[in-house]
Amino acid sequence: MQKLKIGVLASGSGSNLQAIIDEAAAGLLPVEIVMVLSDKPDAYALTRAEQAGIMTAVVLPKDYATREEYDARVVKLLTLAGAEAVALAGYLRIVTKTLLDAFPGRVLNIHPALLPAFPGLHGQRQAFEYGVKVAGCTVHFVDEGLDSGPIILQAPVPVLDDDDEETLTARILQQEHIIYPLALKLLAEGKLTVEGRKVRISD
Ligand code: GAR
């Protein structure tokens, strides 16, 4: 099967990136990561990419006057690398229409909460502090809102009596590493159809 060429945007540790790299290397995920791009020069995600022999790029926000100009540069680099879709993996910037228009219906994000609850930063912390009994994570298509695009997959994670924010975050992350590669597999296999807010998954 033809592999889907993706660019991964990451600002941090890149454990979700690693999960995607590992599944692809194991032949379980028909994607090829053509570029890992970060807004943070010291993001460990870049080291993970280099170790896997994947091309990397850093685009510094301070070099661009607007978010749109920043995203125009990101689009140029991703397009030159041959990306057909984009996976945000711990990318802590809001993306603009400039990026979304370049990859229509092909920008995905992972969020560490059961959306629409707890969008924005620190979804796990918000859920823990709110006192929910079930936390979790969500993979969704990205639109112009904050974590508001159509939902592809979600995984619940029960909050245990002796959890603290750290233990809950770690268990949510384990589920992220399962559902993000799976969502990308469904995208790569052409099994996702968006109808309004609903994402249909064909088998
Ligand atoms: C993940 O928990 C991801 O869901 C979250 O950042 C973490 C990145 O971890 N993303 C957001 O909060 C986006 N709003 P990683 O760098 O180890 O993949």
Side-chain angles (χ1 to χ4, degrees):
M1 181 190 274
Q2 183 91 15
K3 289 186 181 171
L4 179 70
K5 295 183 175 173
I6 67 166
V8 177
L9 307 189
S11 303
S13 129
S15 70
N16 277 289
L17 165 69
Q18 191 68 55
I20 298 165
I21 290 172
D22 292 347
E23 294 258 323
L28 300 170
L29 176 58
V31 308
E32 177 189 351
I33 304 173
V34 293
M35 172 171 279
V36 172
L37 187 151
S38 185
D39 57 326
K40 300 260 191 317
D42 57 353
Y44 188 62
L46 293 167
T47 305
R48 293 183 192 269
E50 282 157 16
Q51 285 169 352
I54 298 166
M55 183 162 45
T56 61
V58 175
V59 182
L60 296 175
K62 70 175 179 57
D63 292 341
Y64 299 85
T66 64
R67 286 184 185 283
E68 286 74 17
E69 285 173 39
Y70 180 92
D71 277 355
R73 178 68 182 157
V74 170
V75 166
K76 179 147 199 192
L77 292 170
L78 291 174
T79 307
L80 283 172
E84 301 162 313
V86 179
L88 311 184
Y91 185 60
L92 300 180
R93 285 179 64 79
I94 294 172
V95 301
T96 65
K97 201 169 174 316
T98 303
L99 183 102
L100 298 175
D101 285 352
F103 300 96
R106 298 199 141 221
V107 183
L108 274 61
N109 182 43
I110 179 96
H111 183 74
L114 293 175
L115 292 171
F118 313 120
L121 285 178
H122 307 300
Q124 316 94 322
R125 182 182 305 166
Q126 293 183 57
F128 183 72
E129 288 179 354
Y130 194 90
V132 300
K133 300 294 187 194
V134 181
C137 51
T138 303
V139 182
H140 62 95
F141 284 109
V142 178
D143 65 10
E144 285 181 70
L146 177 64
D147 298 322
S148 60
I151 290 169
I152 302 170
L153 292 174
Q154 293 186 300
V157 176
V159 180
L160 308 177
D161 284 346
D162 58 355
D163 261 335
D164 55 25
E165 186 191 327
E166 207 176 314
T167 56
L168 180 62
T169 296
R171 289 207 319 289
I172 292 172
L173 203 51
Q174 285 175 356
Q175 294 302 312
E176 294 184 36
H177 297 164
I178 295 169
I179 66 170
Y180 210 3
L182 179 54
L184 286 165
K185 182 170 188 281
L186 293 168
L187 179 76
E189 292 173 348
K191 291 187 174 166
L192 300 179
T193 315
V194 183
E195 293 168 13
R197 280 220 51 88
K198 301 225 169 84
V199 178
R200 296 211 182 279
I201 303 175
S202 60
D203 53 15

